Amino acid sequence: MNSSINNFKIRAYSLVEVLAASAILLMALSAVLSLSYGTVGQEENNRRVARGYCIQENVAQLFCLGLSPDDIVNILPIGSEGIEVEISDTTSLFVDDLFLEAVDVTVKLKPIMRGAERTDTTKNIQVNDSFRTLGPIKIYRPSFR
C-alpha cells in the first residue's frame, strides 16, 4: 500500500509547473487574439479601399454614359460608409477634330481606426487628420453638343 502512495506523489504536478504552463498558454492565446484583431482590421480596410475603387469606376461609367457630375453624386450610395466623392467641374477639350469633356474624380475614405481621431480642445469637436485618397483619375467622353 505504501508503494501506490509513492507512485501517486511522483505523478503529481507542482504549483510552479502549473503556473508556468498557464503563463505559456495565456501568452499564446494573447498572441492569437492580437493577430486575429489585426487581421480583421486589415480586412476591413481592404474592403473599404475596394469599395472606393468600385465607386470610382462606377462614376467613370456613369460619366461616359452622359450623366452630369451632380446627377452622379446623387445616384451613388456613398454617405453611409464614410466615403466622399469629389468630381471636378467639366472641362471641354478639342483634340483631333473631336470635342471631349473631361472631369477628375477623387475618392476619399475616412479612417475607421479610433487612433486616427483626436479631439480639438478649443472647439470640443473631433478632427480626422488622415484621409485615404484614391485617385484622382481623369475621365474623358466625347461631346456632341
Side-chain angles (χ1 to χ4, degrees), residues 63 90-93 99-103 139-143 145:
F63 183 74
T90 305
T91 58
S92 297
L93 305 168
F99 288 102
L100 297 174
E101 293 178 340
V103 293
I139 305 166
Y140 298 96
R141 71 176 172 197
S143 176
R145 298 177 192 163

Side-chain angles (χ1 to χ4, degrees), residues 52-86:
Y53 281 127
C54 181
I55 287 175
Q56 205 169 31
E57 290 174 8
N58 288 335
V59 168
Q61 290 293 326
L62 290 172
F63 183 74
C64 288
L65 287 174
L67 273 72
S68 69
D70 293 331
D71 292 337
I72 293 171
V73 170
N74 291 334
I75 289 174
L76 293 174
I78 54 177
S80 62
E81 293 191 28
I83 297 174
E84 295 178 7
V85 176
E86 296 177 0

Side-chain angles (χ1 to χ4, degrees), residues 2-145:
N2 197 5
S3 64
S4 65
I5 292 175
N6 288 336
N7 287 339
F8 181 71
K9 288 181 181 180
I10 293 173
R11 293 185 190 176
Y13 293 107
S14 68
L15 181 61
V16 173
E17 292 172 334
V18 171
L19 289 176
S22 299
I24 291 171
L25 286 175
L26 285 176
M27 287 189 317
L29 182 63
S30 66
V32 167
L33 289 176
S34 174
L35 181 64
S36 66
Y37 179 74
T39 303
V40 168
Q42 185 65 36
E43 183 64 29
E44 180 67 20
N45 286 333
N46 289 341
R47 186 192 64 79
R48 288 171 45 83
V49 169
R51 180 153 169 78
Y53 281 127
C54 181
I55 287 175
Q56 205 169 31
E57 290 174 8
N58 288 335
V59 168
Q61 290 293 326
L62 290 172
F63 183 74
C64 288
L65 287 174
L67 273 72
S68 69
D70 293 331
D71 292 337
I72 293 171
V73 170
N74 291 334
I75 289 174
L76 293 174
I78 54 177
S80 62
E81 293 191 28
I83 297 174
E84 295 178 7
V85 176
E86 296 177 0
I87 303 174
S88 68
D89 293 332
T90 305
T91 58
S92 297
L93 305 168
F94 184 71
V95 178
D96 293 334
D97 298 331
L98 182 65
F99 288 102
L100 297 174
E101 293 178 340
V103 293
D104 291 325
V105 177
T106 304
V107 175
K108 289 185 178 180
L109 303 173
K110 293 180 182 177
I112 58 171
M113 302 302 285
R114 301 290 188 258
E117 298 177 355
R118 66 176 172 82
T119 302
D120 188 0
T121 56
T122 59
K123 298 177 185 173
N124 200 15
I125 57 173
Q126 285 188 343
V127 179
N128 288 332
D129 291 330
S130 59
F131 281 89
R132 173 129 188 209
T133 303
L134 307 177
I137 61 170
K138 188 170 277 295
I139 305 166
Y140 298 96
R141 71 176 172 197
S143 176
F144 301 107
R145 298 177 192 163

